[in-house]
Amino acid sequence: FGAELPYEDVFIPPSASNGRGAFEVSIHMKTHTGGATEAARQVDVGKFKLVFPADACDGVTDAAITYKNPAFATWEEVTGLGAGAYGQTFFSGKVSGAAVRMFSVTMRCAAGTHAIGVETMEHADSDGVSGAPNIEYASSVGRGDTYVARAEVLVKATTQHVGVFAYASDGRAYVNDFTSLGQPAPSLTVQLDS
């Protein structure tokens, strides 16, 4: 499993009473695409755990869940994981592929850079071959350009909008009419006013 976080900065809207920015985290799964049979390439059962900083991000609730892969008839929350973790088990279905979208949730975090990842707890294919690695693979992506175990998202406070305009300090502006090619570029000093 791997988590996909926003690459762009997330801004906390001025209207947010809790001072937290909202963004979507999608969890994708890669099956054994090189399996010898179709059954070996399909995942029938899986369990994952989303991990996040409990002190900076709100816990996941049912209302925050935006997507569960409909190929699976049954989804159940994994209980007893503690603060900073949320898990799901899915079964009664099957999927195969290199990046199958499995689950999405809206996270809410305070301003700052937060590392979020997903732990592969258990999985089984249609042949009955199963594993329980309980590990965070370097398969998550966010602000960086590489896959990592915990990807980062940057949440920023929004500043009040201020209108700003610029004008030449001496009141003049120069237009380049190409008559001064080969000459040093003139400098222009501007002032900013709001």
Side-chain angles (χ1 to χ4, degrees):
F1 293 98
E4 178 187 356
L5 282 69
Y7 179 79
E8 303 86 13
D9 298 344
V10 174
F11 291 93
I12 300 170
S15 60
S17 60
N18 62 358
R20 300 196 176 233
F23 56 93
E24 183 172 273
V25 176
S26 292
I27 296 176
H28 296 262
M29 176 179 65
K30 178 182 179 189
T31 65
H32 182 59
T33 55
T37 66
E38 185 176 343
R41 292 186 293 269
Q42 295 174 334
V43 168
D44 288 356
V45 178
K47 185 191 292 188
F48 62 83
K49 176 172 59 173
L50 181 66
V51 289
F52 52 90
D55 57 333
C57 299
D58 294 341
V60 176
T61 63
D62 286 342
I65 297 169
T66 58
Y67 178 81
K68 292 179 182 177
N69 190 309
F72 292 91
T74 307
W75 285 83
E76 295 178 356
E77 182 177 345
V78 177
T79 58
L81 296 178
Y86 176 83
Q88 284 276 331
T89 299
F90 55 89
F91 49 93
S92 300
K94 59 182 103 189
V95 294
S96 64
V100 181
R101 183 177 175 208
M102 297 302 296
F103 182 84
S104 294
V105 62
T106 299
M107 299 280 308
R108 298 188 189 290
C109 297
T113 300
H114 310 294
I116 298 173
V118 63
E119 177 183 310
T120 301
M121 297 175 76
E122 296 177 17
H123 56 83
D125 66 22
S126 297
D127 278 342
V129 177
S130 63
N134 292 312
I135 191 167
E136 291 178 55
Y137 291 107
S139 57
S140 295
V141 65
R143 290 183 58 76
D145 291 332
T146 59
Y147 288 101
V148 293
R150 292 208 182 178
E152 291 184 341
V153 62
L154 176 60
V155 179
K156 293 181 173 181
T158 303
T159 58
Q160 186 70 0
H161 173 73
V162 177
V164 176
F165 61 93
Y167 59 91
S169 299
D170 62 1
R172 293 178 285 157
Y174 296 95
V175 177
N176 186 356
D177 63 4
F178 299 110
T179 59
S180 61
L181 288 175
Q183 302 296 319
S187 62
L188 177 66
T189 304
V190 297
Q191 285 184 267
L192 298 177
D193 282 332
S194 59

